[in-house]
């Protein structure tokens, strides 16, 4: 007997169809994976089961939990089910907890609100639950506030409050997407053990095929609000009957066609770079403690080379990037670009030789400017904007696969992948030799990501560009770089040719990173 | 938390110092000689000079500045040119009306605004919300002295529940004093409550879109429980800011209401000081108001830290 059986679930928001005729069942004590790209309706399916759809949503069909239809149950009935029979955790652990309440109270609240315990008992139980999710009492007392915890620790608190009443089903909506790979592996282990030991069912929503194939018993592949294929994970991923499933796999494992063309001509030389920050003083007039974000880092990037820089959040990648772009001073050591020293006051002409593409294709453009203005902005580094600037904008847009007429549109008219192409066009407009790609494909869906990687490989080949490719995603770095640097706690712990580092990691941290990365199952096409 | 309070206190003292310099400098450059004003147009030059000497208007700027600041620190605010009594006594007497009136109005405004703002937020887009938004729009648009006159017409003239103005003094009993401040306090509170209710509403609505409210709903809290337990405290920061600003305004900005109700308050004192070139009253009165405003800001800062644990560590 299924725990939840959904039949013919459809949902529309103001006559726009979001979910189309979904039928699936979640078995007790099993992991049900839902994969698909953004906008495929994965999260909406979960919110429909929780009765937390946005205003204006109309559902049809049924979703039976025992003899209750989750789609038509009245609100007070749903309030008793949420948190009690179905728990849910979300993607963004940094904002999922109330910042002004202690973690103990937030976990205890689940128990109090359902009348399972009085306040004092609830605090005792909250302690047990936090222990259960791996937050021991000595380091994580109940009176800690969320801002005192890391992302992974916060996600554990979210799990603790979602499972406090031992729900029959836990819905996890991209629970590890915002986390580092090693933290992701720990959270996935925790979720697995909750299923294995407590007999809970898990509905795991993710865009990451490797995560699903690793943990899910059953899987449903979603596209544009429909389930295109579902079944036992092994079978679905082995047979890959539906072309979309095959396309997703191909995109996830995509390796652009490229050859190493590095010449022995250094563009960027970083020598013993050190960047320290002063922290707030502990005492009013005492010495300010310092934090060393980048510690004695040295490397050289050659003409035409694609260099990867991997490491987890907080390892100093971004600080190093800002120093290379001449946005932050160094405390010692130096950075030379084309032989010239890089520092915050450097000449504009030198800056024009290195451009950058950031992660967020939505936040990195001024929404009130037209594309032509956005792409032409780096021209301010030159004495005067060249007379043929519109032609050059058109040329840059065409070279990233857009069209010249796109320059008279506004940025909101483009999708995330198109915006990232425009960001690359902006980086290309001054014909630089080096482009810094800071997590430039991390926010993109796998199919878009594959296209952007192809584009980058092609541009590097055609324009003889060098890349410094910064990412936490090892598979992407492996696909596109010649050499790789592994950074941990401000230091480069390993460097070498990409294939060698990945097949034969020398440093234990590199090994840990590679082991923690979920792997796609072998394809048997 | 103590460190936070100490660092706030230091910046408070520096602000006061800066304010005293600015106030002194502005008064210095204002045209008009109080001695000449007091003696009239036909005064002899040497008489004016003698009065200037007597009023302490001679001497170097630096000496007079330090004389003024030093005096204030020891409780000597100088002697009013026109009333011929110590300024400290004048201000103190007025404070006993202005301070209770400001507090009274602030409490009323907060008591009205909190529930009204919360109801509007909880019923966003529904008739109750639209009604509240309309009424508060009116409350902001209509000047408070007009409310004051309407209140007088209804409650003093028609119903005869309250007197139309004047203040009997606290010596005649606390309740009598409070009663005579009630209509002015309501008149002052209504526009403030309208502003505060709207800030409350939008602040609570902002928190409703936050991820932690979704987490709370997923735990099984209903909509109002989620607002009450998780939205409210997070919504308090902007509300506290507005409350602090309103108190400062109410303390000195009640001058029109003081005139409508014939209340001898601080605003009227300073206004009279300006028209009569009684600069020593203006200087000290303004300095006192600055002190009050900066103190309120300090208290609001402490309240921020009490509400939001993330602010406690910042120095």
């Amino acid at each position: 007997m299924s725990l939840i059986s959904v039949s013919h679930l459809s949902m529309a928001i103001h006559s726009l169809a979001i979910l189309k005729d979904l039928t699936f069942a979640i078995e007790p004590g099993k992991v049900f994976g839902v994969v698909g790209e953004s906008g495929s309706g994965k999260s909406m399916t979960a919110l429909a089961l929780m009765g937390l759809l946005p205003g204006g949503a109309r559902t049809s069909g049924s979703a039976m939990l025992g003899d209750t239809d989750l789609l038509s149950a009245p609100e007070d009935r749903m309030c008793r089910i949420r948190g009690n029979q179905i728990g849910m955790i979300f993607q963004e652990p940094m904002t999922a907890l109330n910042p002004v309440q202690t973690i103990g109270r937030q976990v205890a609240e689940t128990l109090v609100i359902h009348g399972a315990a009085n306040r004092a008992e609830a605090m005792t139980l909250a302690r047990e639950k936090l222990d259960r999710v791996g937050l021991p009492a000595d380091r994580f007392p109940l009176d800690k506030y969320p801002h005192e915890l890391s992302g992974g620790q916060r996600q554990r608190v979210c799990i603790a409050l979602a499972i406090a009443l031992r729900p029959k089903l836990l819905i996890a909506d991209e629970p590890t997407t915002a986390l580092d790979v090693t933290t992701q592996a720990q959270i996935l282990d925790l979720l697995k053990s909750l299923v294995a030991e407590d007999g809970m069912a898990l509905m795991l929503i993710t865009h990451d095929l490797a995560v699903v194939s690793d943990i899910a018993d059953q899987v449903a592949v979603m596209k544009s609000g429909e389930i295109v294929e579902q079944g036992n994970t092994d079978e679905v991923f082995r047979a890959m009957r539906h072309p979309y499933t095959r396309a997703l796999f191909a995109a996830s494992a995509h390796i652009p066609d490229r050859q190493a063309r590095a010449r022995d001509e250094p563009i960027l030389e970083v020598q013993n770079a050190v960047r320290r920050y002063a922290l707030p003083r502990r005492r009013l007039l005492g010495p300010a403690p310092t934090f060393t974000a980048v510690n004695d880092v040295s490397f050289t990037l050659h003409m035409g080379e694609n260099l990867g820089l991997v490491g987890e959040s907080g390892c100093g990648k971004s600080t190093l990037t800002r120093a290379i772009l001449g946005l932050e001073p160094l405390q010692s050591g130096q950075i030379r670009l084309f032989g010239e020293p890089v520092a915050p006051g450097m000449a504009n002409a030198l800056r024009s030789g290195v451009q950058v593409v950031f992660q967020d294709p939505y936040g990195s453009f001024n929404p009130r400017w037209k594309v032509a203005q956005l792409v032409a902005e780096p021209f301010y580094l030159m004495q005067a904007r060249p007379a043929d600037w519109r032609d050059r904008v058109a040329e840059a847009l065409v070279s990233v696969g857009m069209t010249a007429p796109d320059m008279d549109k506004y940025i909101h008219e483009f999708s995330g992948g198109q915006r990232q192409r425009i960001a690359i066009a902006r980086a290309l407009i001054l014909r630089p030799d080096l482009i810094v790609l800071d997590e430039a494909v991390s926010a993109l869906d796998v199919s878009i990501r594959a296209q952007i990687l192809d584009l980058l490989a092609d541009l590097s080949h055609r324009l003889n560009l060098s890349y410094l490719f910064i990412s936490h995603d090892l598979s992407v770095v492996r696909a596109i770089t010649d050499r790789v640097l592994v950074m941990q706690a401000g230091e480069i712990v390993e460097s070498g040719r990409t294939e060698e580092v990945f097949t034969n990691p020398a440093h234990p941290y590199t090994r840990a990173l590679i082991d923690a990365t979920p792997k796609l199952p072998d394809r048997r096409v | 938390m103590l460190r936070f309070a100490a660092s706030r206190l230091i910046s408070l003292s520096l602000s006061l110092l800066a304010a005293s310099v600015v106030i002194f400098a502005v008064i210095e450059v204002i045209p008009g000689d109080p001695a000449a004003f007091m003696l009239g147009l036909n005064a002899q030059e040497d008489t004016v000079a003698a009065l200037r000497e007597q009023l302490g208007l001679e001497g170097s700027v630096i000496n007079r500045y330090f004389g003024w600041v030093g005096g204030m620190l020891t409780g000597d605010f100088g002697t009013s040119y026109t009333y011929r009594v110590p300024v400290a006594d004048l201000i103190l007497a007025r404070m006993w009306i202005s301070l209770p009136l400001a507090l009274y109005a602030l409490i009323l405004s907060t008591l009205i605004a909190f529930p009204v703002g919360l109801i509007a937020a909880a019923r966003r887009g529904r008739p109750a919300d639209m009604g509240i938004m309309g009424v508060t729009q009116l409350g902001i648009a209509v000047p408070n002295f007009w409310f004051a006159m309407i209140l007088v017409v209804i409650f003093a003239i028609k119903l005869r529940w309250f007197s139309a103005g004047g203040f009997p003094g606290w010596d005649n009993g606390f309740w009598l004093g409070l009663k005579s401040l009630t209509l002015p306090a309501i008149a002052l509170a209504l526009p403030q409550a309208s502003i505060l209710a709207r800030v409350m509403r939008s602040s609570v609505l902002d928190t409703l879109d936050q991820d932690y409210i979704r987490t709370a709903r997923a735990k099984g809290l209903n909509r109002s429980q989620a607002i009450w337990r998780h939205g409210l405290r997070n919504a308090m920061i902007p509300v506290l800011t507005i409350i602090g600003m309103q108190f400062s305004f109410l303390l000195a900005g009640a001058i029109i209401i003081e005139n409508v109700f014939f209340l001898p308050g601080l605003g009227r004192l300073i206004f009279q000081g300006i028209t009569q070139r009684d600069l020593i009253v203006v200087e000290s009165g303004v300095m006192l108001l600055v002190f009050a405003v900066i103190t309120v800001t300090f208290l609001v800062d402490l309240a921020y830290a009490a509400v939001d644990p993330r602010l406690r560590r910042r120095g």
Side-chain angles (χ1 to χ4, degrees):
Chain A
M1 163 95 186
S2 300
L3 175 62
I4 288 185
S5 58
V6 176
S7 74
H8 305 292
L9 164 61
S10 293
M11 189 270 284
I13 298 179
H14 302 304
S15 79
L16 177 70
I18 306 285
L19 301 175
K20 298 163 196 159
D21 200 28
L22 307 182
T23 298
F24 60 90
I26 299 176
E27 306 299 327
K30 299 277 186 202
V31 180
F32 183 80
V34 181
V35 283
E37 297 191 288
S38 46
S40 62
K42 310 182 297 280
S43 297
M44 284 298 168
T45 309
L47 292 177
L49 298 185
M50 291 292 279
L52 290 177
L53 286 169
R58 293 274 171 280
T59 55
S60 62
S62 68
M64 304 303 293
L65 169 75
D67 49 12
T68 307
D69 181 2
L70 298 172
L71 301 183
S72 61
E75 173 62 16
D76 59 336
R77 175 99 186 85
M78 285 309 292
C79 279
R80 287 197 298 277
I81 289 174
R82 284 182 216 126
N84 190 3
Q85 302 196 50
I86 309 178
M88 184 160 180
I89 59 173
F90 300 92
Q91 172 170 356
E92 198 35 84
M94 298 313 273
T95 52
L97 293 168
N98 184 346
V100 303
Q101 243 178 41
T102 62
I103 58 172
R105 269 194 69 182
Q106 296 192 53
V107 176
E109 187 179 41
T110 310
L111 300 154
V112 174
I113 211 83
H114 290 284
N118 65 33
R119 201 165 276 280
E121 292 162 2
M123 287 310 255
T124 319
L125 285 166
R127 181 67 266 157
E128 282 173 23
K129 294 298 168 187
L130 287 173
D131 289 338
R132 177 72 186 87
V133 298
L135 299 174
D138 52 337
R139 284 175 54 218
F140 303 96
L142 292 174
D143 59 2
K144 281 251 183 212
Y145 284 97
H147 71 270
E148 299 172 288
L149 307 181
S150 71
Q153 289 160 356
R154 291 186 207 191
Q155 193 62 293
R156 285 173 193 270
V157 175
C158 291
I159 293 174
L161 63 85
I163 61 156
L165 284 167
R166 303 175 66 100
K168 295 174 189 154
L169 171 66
L170 176 65
I171 302 176
D173 188 357
E174 304 270 9
T176 58
T177 306
L179 305 174
D180 284 321
V181 277
T182 49
T183 318
Q184 161 167 296
Q186 292 161 6
I187 295 289
L188 290 177
D189 279 344
L190 171 63
L191 290 174
K192 273 190 241 176
S193 78
L194 289 169
V195 171
E197 292 159 29
D198 300 9
M200 185 184 75
L202 174 67
M203 178 176 177
L204 179 72
I205 295 167
T206 178
H207 68 283
D208 191 332
L209 289 168
V211 167
V212 163
S213 69
D214 183 36
I215 174 170
D217 301 299
Q218 264 116 34
V219 67
V221 181
M222 286 190 77
K223 181 185 186 237
S224 324
E226 291 175 85
I227 293 181
V228 296
E229 187 168 11
Q230 64 175 319
N232 288 332
T233 310
D234 291 346
E235 281 168 35
V236 168
F237 285 176
R238 194 167 47 234
M240 288 203 242
R241 285 193 192 84
H242 197 278
Y244 183 69
T245 314
R246 279 200 294 277
L248 269 186
F249 257 89
S252 299
H254 182 74
I255 296 174
D257 180 26
R258 52 182 293 281
Q259 295 121 24
R261 295 163 301 98
R263 280 183 278 154
D264 197 20
E265 196 180 326
I267 291 187
L268 174 72
E269 295 159 278
V270 178
Q271 287 160 2
N272 308 101
V274 175
R275 174 74 176 113
R276 276 190 218 98
Y277 291 103
L279 297 174
R281 290 171 206 281
R282 298 255 161 71
R283 275 174 301 141
L284 209 53
L285 296 170
T290 56
F291 171 72
T292 308
V294 175
N295 192 8
D296 198 20
V297 166
S298 302
F299 66 89
T300 304
L301 174 61
H302 298 94
M303 187 69 97
E305 186 177 36
N306 290 1
L307 180 65
L309 176 62
V310 296
E312 297 187 292
S313 47
C315 76
K317 300 190 299 276
S318 302
T319 307
L320 181 59
T321 312
R322 285 199 299 272
I324 289 171
L325 294 171
L327 300 174
E328 292 208 21
L330 293 178
Q331 269 63 47
S332 75
Q334 65 169 341
I335 297 174
R336 299 178 86 84
L337 192 62
F338 314 108
E340 302 287 325
V342 166
M346 70 205 242
N348 283 347
L350 186 56
R351 279 192 198 278
S352 67
V354 51
Q355 294 290 312
V356 63
V357 178
F358 292 107
Q359 172 172 2
D360 184 359
Y362 293 90
S364 48
F365 291 106
N366 183 337
R368 287 178 185 78
W369 284 12
K370 288 189 173 163
V371 168
Q373 263 179 301
L374 292 168
V375 173
E377 201 185 6
F379 281 133
Y380 90 95
L381 289 173
M382 305 173 79
Q383 301 270 306
R385 195 152 68 173
D388 63 341
W389 70 275
R390 283 186 70 89
D391 295 337
R392 288 184 58 177
V393 168
E395 182 193 314
L397 286 172
V398 169
S399 71
V400 298
M402 309 286 291
T403 61
D406 286 335
M407 72 165 96
D408 292 315
K409 296 181 184 168
Y410 286 97
I411 198 71
H412 68 258
E413 299 173 57
F414 297 97
S415 69
Q418 289 171 320
R419 287 177 199 214
Q420 210 59 334
R421 286 175 188 268
I422 293 169
I424 295 170
R426 175 167 65 181
L428 289 175
I429 192 83
L430 292 178
R431 297 167 186 156
D433 296 293
L434 171 62
I435 296 184
V436 176
L437 299 155
D438 188 357
E439 303 277 6
V441 298
S442 302
L444 305 174
D445 278 323
V446 283
S447 56
I448 311 292
R449 189 176 74 189
Q451 292 167 14
I452 297 288
L453 288 177
D454 278 342
L455 171 67
L456 290 172
D458 174 52
L459 289 172
S460 166
H461 182 68
R462 268 197 292 139
L463 307 175
N464 197 27
L465 282 172
S466 307
Y467 295 136
L468 177 59
F469 197 98
I470 297 153
S471 182
H472 68 280
D473 187 333
L474 275 72
S475 59
V476 171
V477 170
R478 188 172 190 170
I480 192 150
T481 63
D482 308 316
R483 243 173 6 111
V484 67
L485 310 169
V486 182
M487 196 167 181
Q488 182 194 20
E491 295 178 37
I492 305 280
V493 295
E494 182 164 2
S495 66
R497 290 178 30 81
T498 304
E499 257 330 291
E500 270 161 40
V501 171
F502 277 87
T503 43
N504 257 329
H507 194 276
Y509 178 68
T510 316
R511 275 201 292 278
L513 278 184
I514 292 172
D515 288 345
T517 307
K519 289 168 192 61
L520 285 172
D522 290 334
R523 297 178 64 200
R524 280 162 243 173
V525 183
Chain B
M1 185 73 193
L2 268 179
R3 237 175 61 85
F4 175 81
S7 81
R8 291 282 108 199
L9 258 176
I10 292 172
S11 82
L12 178 152
S13 322
L14 291 178
S15 313
L16 275 180
L17 193 69
S20 72
V21 173
V22 171
I23 291 166
F24 187 80
V26 167
I27 298 285
E28 277 297 304
V29 299
I30 285 181
D33 181 348
F37 184 84
M38 286 163 74
L39 293 172
L41 288 173
N42 301 323
Q44 302 281 321
E45 259 181 47
D46 52 342
T47 331
V48 174
L51 187 60
R52 281 182 63 87
E53 178 72 48
Q54 196 191 338
L55 292 174
L57 293 172
E58 300 295 337
S60 81
V61 175
I62 305 282
N63 281 343
R64 277 184 290 128
Y65 172 75
F66 282 110
W68 175 58
V69 171
M72 280 195 298
L73 289 176
T74 55
D76 174 14
F77 286 69
T79 305
S80 160
Y81 306 146
T82 41
Y83 295 98
R84 292 282 172 190
V85 291
V87 174
D89 296 354
L90 272 178
I91 290 180
L92 198 66
R94 305 303 179 101
M95 264 311 208
W96 275 109
I97 296 173
S98 284
L99 199 61
L101 179 60
L103 275 176
Y104 194 179
L106 192 74
I107 291 169
L108 280 181
S109 133
T110 310
L111 285 180
I112 299 170
F114 270 49
V116 168
L118 270 176
I119 290 169
R123 309 220 184 292
R124 166 164 48 173
R126 296 205 223 143
D129 178 30
M130 290 194 266
I132 286 171
M133 290 308 277
V135 170
T136 53
Q137 183 72 65
L138 211 65
I140 296 171
V142 175
N144 57 16
F145 61 81
W146 189 82
F147 281 130
M149 293 188 299
I150 297 297
L151 289 172
V152 168
V153 168
I154 296 174
F155 293 103
I157 296 173
K158 293 270 188 231
L159 298 172
R160 295 189 175 279
W161 290 355
F162 296 92
S163 66
F167 184 69
W170 295 106
D171 302 337
N172 294 323
F174 174 74
W175 294 110
L176 201 64
L178 199 67
K179 194 178 163 193
S180 66
L181 291 183
T182 299
L183 289 188
I186 294 175
L188 282 171
L190 286 178
Q192 305 294 329
S194 302
I195 296 171
L196 197 59
R198 292 172 80 98
V199 172
M200 184 84 188
R201 173 185 177 273
S202 68
S203 188
V204 169
L205 285 180
D206 278 347
T207 64
L208 287 190
D209 294 331
Q210 299 292 320
D211 287 351
Y212 52 79
I213 295 291
R214 191 178 57 182
T215 305
R217 298 278 281 132
K219 274 189 210 175
L221 276 72
N222 63 35
R223 211 175 135 79
S224 12
Q225 283 172 322
I227 295 184
W228 189 250
R229 287 164 163 257
H230 295 280
L232 192 58
R233 196 161 148 195
N234 279 292
M236 282 321 288
I237 294 280
V239 173
L240 283 171
T241 311
I242 299 294
I243 289 181
M245 285 166 53
Q246 293 195 336
F247 182 75
S248 315
F249 167 78
L250 288 170
L251 202 56
I255 174 162
I256 297 178
I257 294 296
E258 285 171 7
N259 272 323
V260 172
F261 289 99
F262 306 109
L263 295 172
L266 205 55
R268 278 180 96 189
L269 177 71
I270 293 176
F271 182 70
Q272 285 162 0
I274 294 170
T275 53
Q276 295 162 357
R277 292 288 182 281
D278 197 347
L279 297 186
I280 189 94
V281 168
V282 177
E283 241 175 9
S284 303
V286 170
M287 193 62 215
L288 199 78
L289 286 173
V290 169
F291 179 73
V293 169
I294 290 180
T295 311
V296 168
T297 311
F298 172 67
L299 293 177
V300 169
D301 277 350
L302 291 189
Y304 286 162
V307 165
D308 192 335
R310 287 169 298 182
L311 298 175
R312 282 171 210 166
R313 286 190 304 182
R314 268 199 229 152

